Amino acid sequence: MAVAGAVTVTVAGQPQPQLYRRWHPSLQTSTRRRYAVSAFKVRADAEKNVLIVNTNSGGHAIIGFWLARDLKKSGHQVTIFTAGEEASPKMTKTPFSRFSELRDIGVQTIWGNPDEIGKTISSSIFDAVLDNNGKDLSFVKPVADWAKGIGAGQFLYISSAGIYKPTDEPPHVEGDLVKIDASHVAVEDHIKSLSFNSLAIFRPQYMIGSGNNKDCEEWFFDRIVRDRPVPIPGSGMQVTNIAHVKDLSSMLVLAVQKPSAANGNVFNAVCDRAITFDGLVKLCAKVAGKKADIVHYDPKSLGIDAKKAFPFRNMHFYAEPRAAKEILGWQSTTNLLEDLKERFEEYIAIGRDKKEMKFELDDKILESSRVAITV
């Protein structure tokens, strides 16, 4: 559904050899896709004019905030277009409440209806357009079609690593099978059909970083600081990937600066280390100065919906950023222990450790598991 409302505007060289693997014409293969390798040269392009179309909610919103800042600091002109209205209550939350930081460095911030983006900024010409506003084609198609119509040379799309089919051979790598019925597939197919001069797709997973407004590590802190057991579904040895948003942003900046290299590729926008559920609990406890009390349980035997009781998929779910390393020369800087320290400092600063909370579902799990509940 489109977001209606008024529009608000506030303004505050040398060639290098690279290798890349070209886009395969099909999203499905019976085995992991092997790309043909070709050599070409990439020029470090000068200042670009970049538009970021950003979601107004959810965990992906932080990507647009960090990218706008990092692109501007890299010498590019940046406009961030957020779906909705500037006066919306959503804009009082992070990262939107920190948009003044963007305006202070010269980023233009715009709010409006993505369905009518052409009416809002029809006179602007952008070298690159990035869509970070949704997984559904109805949200992305108007923006992609408009970008093609104005002659934008590059289009970048934030998809999701959740698009991959579960596999017996983790981790997920670029070219693995995807879920045909996933809404991101239709979006990826459509933008590919538009034949931009440069097109790239990025598939992030779980993110951490200052300004994030989606609970992840906070779920663990909420229990640990209150000396409550932390209920973990299954064995706790399930492996996942949590990347600092600065890694995602730096990958996207490289794609903007190396459009020829990025063209036709899918990039797993993740860091290069994985962690177990139990390991994450232990790290969260360490930064909080507490001892972790982990309780494992079987959701099925307890009649518990793990999706409601736990912030991650209850399975091995992690990907590797192979394409970004090989094609863009990108390197991960995520250090989960240090990143959790930063997040815990913010957690304490906003007083969430003192906030009154109820843990009804936790209590049901712990009671069924015959574990004493600390109050």
Side-chain angles (χ1 to χ4, degrees):
M1 180 180 295
V3 181
V7 174
T8 307
V9 180
T10 311
V11 179
Q14 293 294 318
Q16 298 177 351
Q18 296 285 335
L19 295 178
Y20 77 110
R21 295 173 293 182
R22 297 192 65 82
W23 189 299
H24 194 283
S26 171
L27 285 171
Q28 296 293 307
T29 62
S30 58
T31 60
R32 296 189 179 206
R33 189 172 303 142
R34 304 303 181 192
Y35 294 81
V37 179
S38 302
F40 69 103
K41 292 185 179 295
V42 176
R43 181 172 60 87
D45 287 324
E47 177 185 298
K48 301 286 186 67
N49 191 11
V50 184
L51 172 68
I52 302 167
V53 179
N54 208 37
T55 180
N56 60 10
S57 61
H60 280 196
I62 189 63
I63 300 174
F65 173 77
W66 275 73
L67 178 60
R69 188 194 66 171
D70 291 348
L71 280 170
K72 186 62 182 179
K73 289 183 176 180
S74 296
H76 303 288
Q77 294 301 312
V78 185
T79 300
I80 184 166
F81 179 106
T82 302
E85 300 179 20
E86 186 176 11
S88 167
K90 291 182 178 181
M91 298 302 113
T92 63
K93 301 177 181 179
T94 56
F96 314 107
S97 60
R98 295 176 56 181
F99 271 25
S100 61
E101 298 175 27
L102 299 180
R103 292 190 288 272
D104 287 346
I105 61 174
V107 173
Q108 184 181 40
T109 57
I110 299 175
W111 283 262
N113 185 344
D115 281 354
E116 301 177 344
I117 191 169
K119 296 180 180 179
T120 308
I121 47 180
S122 57
S123 62
S124 298
I125 301 299
F126 294 95
D127 300 298
V129 175
L130 176 134
D131 191 286
N132 184 41
N133 185 45
K135 62 182 181 180
D136 190 275
L137 184 58
S138 64
F139 283 89
V140 182
K141 186 178 186 298
V143 175
D145 291 353
W146 167 82
K148 180 64 177 179
I150 65 167
Q154 183 178 46
F155 194 85
L156 308 176
Y157 172 58
I158 304 296
S159 184
S160 170
I163 198 173
Y164 291 116
K165 285 186 174 181
T167 178
D168 292 327
E169 191 185 0
H172 295 298
V173 297
E174 295 88 352
D176 278 358
L177 293 174
V178 301
K179 305 169 187 173
I180 290 297
D181 58 348
S183 57
H184 289 100
V185 172
V187 177
E188 293 184 5
D189 281 348
H190 178 71
I191 59 178
K192 186 173 66 171
S193 73
L194 296 177
S195 301
F196 286 94
N197 291 338
S198 178
L199 168 65
I201 292 167
F202 296 81
R203 295 174 177 168
Q205 203 172 322
Y206 300 122
M207 287 168 281
I208 189 172
S210 180
N212 199 357
N213 66 7
K214 184 176 181 180
D215 281 2
C216 178
E217 57 277 6
E218 292 87 352
W219 186 93
F220 299 91
F221 292 150
D222 287 342
R223 288 147 181 82
I224 290 168
V225 300
R226 293 170 177 81
D227 297 312
R228 290 184 58 93
V230 183
I232 301 295
S235 68
M237 295 306 294
Q238 303 95 311
V239 178
T240 194
N241 182 298
I242 303 173
H244 196 288
V245 67
K246 64 186 176 185
D247 272 358
L248 282 64
S249 180
S250 66
M251 190 183 295
L252 289 162
V253 169
L254 281 173
V256 170
Q257 295 177 336
K258 299 180 178 182
S260 296
N263 183 35
N265 287 289
V266 171
F267 298 97
N268 287 337
V270 297
C271 69
D272 55 6
R273 295 293 297 272
I275 189 167
T276 64
F277 292 166
D278 279 5
L280 180 56
V281 176
K282 293 172 183 177
L283 283 186
C284 287
K286 184 174 183 178
V287 302
K290 295 277 190 175
K291 183 177 180 179
D293 181 9
I294 301 173
V295 174
H296 298 115
Y297 67 97
D298 177 9
K300 186 175 181 179
S301 66
L302 298 184
I304 297 293
D305 184 351
K307 292 181 180 179
K308 296 180 179 179
F310 191 65
F312 298 120
R313 290 170 171 83
N314 182 26
M315 58 186 290
H316 290 303
F317 176 51
Y318 72 108
E320 284 189 351
R322 297 182 185 180
K325 287 184 172 182
E326 296 171 6
I327 299 167
L328 299 177
W330 173 88
Q331 292 294 322
S332 172
T333 61
T334 293
N335 181 322
L336 198 51
L337 177 60
E338 294 303 315
D339 298 335
L340 284 168
K341 288 180 181 178
E342 175 191 64
R343 293 299 286 155
F344 187 68
E345 289 174 0
E346 293 186 354
Y347 179 91
I348 296 298
I350 64 174
R352 181 157 166 167
D353 58 319
K354 302 295 193 300
K355 182 179 179 181
E356 184 176 348
M357 293 185 174
K358 294 182 179 181
F359 298 89
E360 295 175 352
L361 192 50
D362 277 28
D363 292 345
K364 179 180 178 181
I365 293 169
L366 297 173
E367 289 170 1
S368 301
S369 302
R370 298 180 182 177
V371 174
I373 302 169
T374 302
V375 293

